[in-house]
Amino acid sequence: MSGDQSAFVRTRAGLLRRAMQLASGFLALALATTLWLGGAVQAQETRIIHPGSMAVTGFSGTVIPNFEQDPNFEEGLPPGVDPVDEIFIDTMRATLRVFDVSRLGGPASGQLVFTPPPFEVTAGQIGQVFAITYDDGVRDGAPSGNPNLYAGATSLHGIRIVTSDEDADGRPERQRRGAAGATFMDGQFGTENGGGPGTIWKIDGITGQVSKFADIDTNSGPGIGDVTFDNIHRQFFTSDLDTGLIHRIDANGTLVDTFDHGVAGRPAHGLAPLADDGSAMDIEGAAFDSEDPDSWGYTQDERRVWSVAYHGARLYYSVGEKAEIWSVGIARDGSFAGDPRWELTVKADKDHVVTDIAFDISGLMYLAKRGPVENRYDYRRFADSGEGEVIRYWRENPDDPATESIWVKIPQDYAVGFPKDNQQSAGGLDLQYGYDADGNLDTSVCTEILVKTGDKLRDNPALAEQLAGGGPLAVHGVQITPTALVRPANVPPFGSWFVDFDGYFEDPEVEAHVGDVEVWHPCEGRAGYYERIPGGGYLSPFYPPDFPPPGGVPPCLDVEDVRYFCTPSGLEAELHLRDPAGFGGDSIKALSRTSHVGVISPQSHAPGTPYTIGITGHYPGDTVDVGLCFYRQSDRDKGGYFPCCKMTVPLRTPAVSCER
């Protein structure tokens, strides 16, 4: 056995002793809140999920079954037995926790926050999971304010297999490579409760009851990449790492249809179609190697969809190690619109997959990257977390026709963790409400905080003295940071709070043991599908400095009224225009004059009807300056220069978000 393994096993022994010592304390309290699958629903004094609740996934930890009574287990094993061979997934510990982060105890100073005991779901119930999402809390057809939580089975926390107990020690035999009769280790996929690598689990937000929501039964072992909820059509989308397909699932868990990026998406960007190669995980075959993810049956990298996120009537998704971001429209009936679009390819020194995508209410896109999949036999590392980035993009405004993408070329990025280079992302992120100066949750603001998962978040020997007062250094969990603190701000990240996933601080060297994070943050008053929303308006129109009206000539354009609507594509403004000077215009071209805000011009206009423009990337309640060119279509059709009445209309947008 290598020295590294020996050191790690001793560390695990310490954890085992500590777990037994705490059995009547915190751990027991946390486990007591967990409701077992199939058991009676226990009464809850409070609901499990509140606005601002933060769900986090991660590896559940390890144990030596039937051997806890001897803390010096290395000396107790027969000669020639590698202690690592006797370490198994701990099915009694949690792989999903829901944290109350409503009170962080004070302003951010890089400190660890100790939260109330979280609600937990164990590996024995659902196995190892990564991707999570909430629904909208609609129960029996009516909003309840109590959403449910969903979690997808994963291989991102390793694949472990066993065969039957040949040495009669009460434990099955661990196998590094495929072997006849091999099965997945208990706690891998929740097989005890009917789960498998393609299972999406449902956790009831009121009772905590766990049930199997949906199952992609053709998934052989790679698992679910991500899952997202479409609140407009009340459906889910999930990515299948085995086939590369994106599955559409209705609110009852029924698989409806699929979208194949490799075949239908790639040609939209001039790439050759690429069908799934049919590879599958065969844990009984000689080719399977638990430490070699290339033998696990993932679909080809070029068609492998990782993250999915519904936003503005489109489903955004990430593809492969090149970190390509694509989108496909979602039609009014909820089906795939068949209009795939390449959005951008992340520019980076090293290729790492994007495992999570989120959008704020201004339309900015946030991406979390995770290192290449690994699976150390000693459970130490599941990915290299020292190169994981968290970045954000926004749309070009105006769109630069010389660039291929509609998004800016160079994104902003965030410092994640205190170690050198501050790139400790474990691949999960989401947006949160804001916090006041005392660290208390402020639900009056919608997406002011970014939460992101990471490993070794407070571990930096050079800063150990400064960090010591803020708690333990070996923190594997979540960093909570205001979205405004992009680099070079917050380097090192003393402007952040930190939350540990499992409450153990004895494993400073483990990597990628944390997974995804998702926050329940409904924004009060948000409007729905093609719904008129109150508020907003406009200020008196004015001409821009470069187009003053000639002296004594009345304005050639006036605004009588502005009405706002929420649509699947976001906010739309219906402009009721008047032509007081008899200019005779019948068409408009609109352009944003406000940084980071996009304005979409109408493609056509019916005589006598208002003009409708789309507004994206704004903050609700902000004033957006829209430049209008009012012209006659017949003049434009002649080609060359044509008369155009130009003016700027300051639109006051409603203080309501149309985005999810």
Side-chain angles (χ1 to χ4, degrees), residues 32-35 40-51 53 98 119-121 134-140 142-150 202-211 520:
T33 66
T34 302
L35 299 177
V41 176
Q42 302 177 18
Q44 300 277 324
E45 292 184 1
T46 60
R47 60 185 184 182
I48 293 165
I49 300 168
H50 301 264
S53 290
V98 181
F119 172 80
E120 299 188 333
V121 183
Y134 296 97
D135 65 18
D136 55 6
V138 172
R139 297 170 182 268
D140 298 324
S144 70
N146 295 294
N148 303 302
L149 181 62
Y150 302 79
K202 177 180 179 179
I203 299 91
D204 189 284
I206 297 177
T207 67
Q209 184 72 39
V210 178
S211 60
W520 170 241

Side-chain angles (χ1 to χ4, degrees), residues 93-349:
R93 284 175 57 192
T95 186
L96 186 156
R97 292 180 168 92
V98 181
F99 293 88
D100 176 359
V101 288
S102 59
R103 294 177 177 83
L104 302 183
S109 60
Q111 76 273 34
L112 178 69
V113 175
F114 292 93
T115 68
F119 172 80
E120 299 188 333
V121 183
T122 68
Q125 294 174 272
I126 61 176
Q128 305 305 309
V129 294
F130 185 92
I132 42 180
T133 195
Y134 296 97
D135 65 18
D136 55 6
V138 172
R139 297 170 182 268
D140 298 324
S144 70
N146 295 294
N148 303 302
L149 181 62
Y150 302 79
T154 189
S155 61
L156 295 188
H157 292 139
I159 293 292
R160 291 159 202 87
I161 63 172
V162 297
T163 52
S164 59
D165 181 9
E166 296 179 359
D167 54 11
D169 63 357
R171 297 183 290 273
E173 309 305 320
R174 286 191 65 189
Q175 301 294 335
R176 295 178 188 242
R177 304 188 67 93
T183 59
F184 292 114
M185 184 183 290
D186 285 351
Q188 176 73 61
F189 289 128
T191 51
E192 302 89 336
N193 290 323
T199 297
I200 298 173
W201 301 93
K202 177 180 179 179
I203 299 91
D204 189 284
I206 297 177
T207 67
Q209 184 72 39
V210 178
S211 60
K212 188 165 67 170
F213 172 68
D215 203 353
I216 303 172
D217 55 13
T218 56
N219 192 296
S220 63
I224 301 297
D226 199 5
V227 59
T228 188
F229 180 66
D230 167 3
N231 63 325
I232 300 298
H233 306 97
R234 304 210 69 250
Q235 62 184 357
F236 298 81
F237 298 98
T238 189
S239 55
D240 180 356
L241 296 178
D242 189 323
T243 63
L245 297 176
I246 298 174
H247 294 263
R248 183 163 70 99
I249 305 171
D250 69 18
N252 297 315
T254 302
L255 276 63
V256 179
D257 60 10
T258 61
F259 174 76
D260 189 335
H261 166 75
V263 174
R266 284 169 53 85
H269 193 52
L271 302 173
L274 180 66
D276 178 40
D277 60 9
S279 61
M281 184 183 294
D282 180 9
I283 59 176
E284 294 192 73
F288 174 80
D289 182 344
S290 64
E291 295 186 297
D292 180 13
D294 288 340
S295 70
W296 293 1
Y298 289 110
T299 193
Q300 304 97 300
D301 180 72
E302 297 86 350
R303 57 173 284 117
R304 192 180 306 164
V305 175
W306 288 93
S307 182
V308 289
Y310 179 79
H311 173 76
R314 295 189 71 81
L315 182 70
Y316 290 78
Y317 59 94
S318 64
V319 180
E321 291 185 355
K322 294 291 185 183
E324 298 174 354
I325 307 300
W326 293 68
S327 70
V328 61
I330 303 302
R332 291 198 181 196
D333 64 357
S335 62
F336 294 105
D339 59 347
R341 181 176 75 203
W342 172 86
E343 299 285 345
L344 61 91
T345 299
V346 176
K347 304 297 183 184
D349 293 335

Side-chain angles (χ1 to χ4, degrees), residues 399-410:
D399 180 37
D400 183 353
T403 61
E404 191 175 14
S405 173
I406 61 176
W407 300 87
V408 295
K409 186 175 182 180
I410 305 299

Side-chain angles (χ1 to χ4, degrees), residues 39 60 83 94 124 131 153-154 177 207 221 264 306 335 338 358 364 376 393 403 471 484 513 515 549 564 595 640 651:
S60 60
T154 189
R177 304 188 67 93
T207 67
W306 288 93
S335 62
L364 277 67
R376 298 289 181 87
Y393 285 87
T403 61
H513 277 221
Y564 294 95
S595 178
L651 299 180

Side-chain angles (χ1 to χ4, degrees), residues 373-596:
V373 179
E374 297 185 22
N375 186 35
R376 298 289 181 87
Y377 187 70
D378 61 6
Y379 303 89
R380 180 191 298 269
R381 177 189 290 183
F382 302 135
D384 183 355
S385 61
E387 298 175 347
E389 299 174 279
V390 171
I391 56 182
R392 76 174 180 183
Y393 285 87
W394 60 93
R395 292 175 181 269
E396 294 176 336
N397 183 47
D399 180 37
D400 183 353
T403 61
E404 191 175 14
S405 173
I406 61 176
W407 300 87
V408 295
K409 186 175 182 180
I410 305 299
Q412 297 169 319
D413 68 318
Y414 291 87
V416 185
F418 282 93
K420 181 183 177 182
D421 298 330
N422 312 109
Q423 295 182 342
Q424 296 299 121
S425 168
L429 61 74
D430 200 7
L431 281 305
Q432 168 67 291
Y433 295 116
Y435 286 93
D436 65 19
D438 296 320
N440 299 314
L441 196 68
D442 180 5
T443 59
S444 68
V445 293
C446 200
T447 54
E448 193 172 272
I449 295 292
L450 178 64
V451 297
K452 43 201 178 294
T453 58
D455 287 305
K456 298 187 286 189
L457 288 171
R458 302 187 75 251
D459 185 13
N460 187 330
L463 299 172
E465 186 174 343
Q466 292 175 259
L467 291 168
L473 302 184
V475 173
H476 310 284
V478 177
Q479 178 176 328
I480 302 173
T481 305
T483 56
L485 296 184
V486 296
R487 290 181 192 255
N490 207 34
V491 179
F494 282 104
S496 300
W497 298 271
F498 296 87
V499 176
D500 191 80
F501 173 65
D502 61 5
Y504 290 122
F505 307 101
E506 300 181 8
D507 287 345
E509 298 306 318
V510 301
E511 295 187 34
H513 277 221
V514 190
D516 197 7
V517 58
E518 191 83 3
V519 175
W520 170 241
H521 59 278
C523 294
E524 297 300 326
R526 287 181 303 169
Y529 188 58
Y530 282 118
E531 177 182 347
R532 183 177 177 180
I533 50 179
Y538 66 98
L539 305 176
S540 297
F542 61 89
Y543 286 85
D546 51 340
F547 289 99
V553 177
C556 59
L557 186 63
D558 194 8
V559 181
E560 292 183 326
D561 191 16
V562 178
R563 299 175 184 176
Y564 294 95
F565 296 83
C566 273
T567 77
S569 298
L571 180 67
E572 286 188 355
E574 188 180 87
L575 308 179
H576 295 255
L577 304 179
R578 186 171 66 91
D579 181 7
F583 179 78
D586 56 16
S587 303
I588 65 168
K589 180 176 177 58
L591 178 69
S592 172
R593 293 181 176 270
T594 300
S595 178
H596 300 332

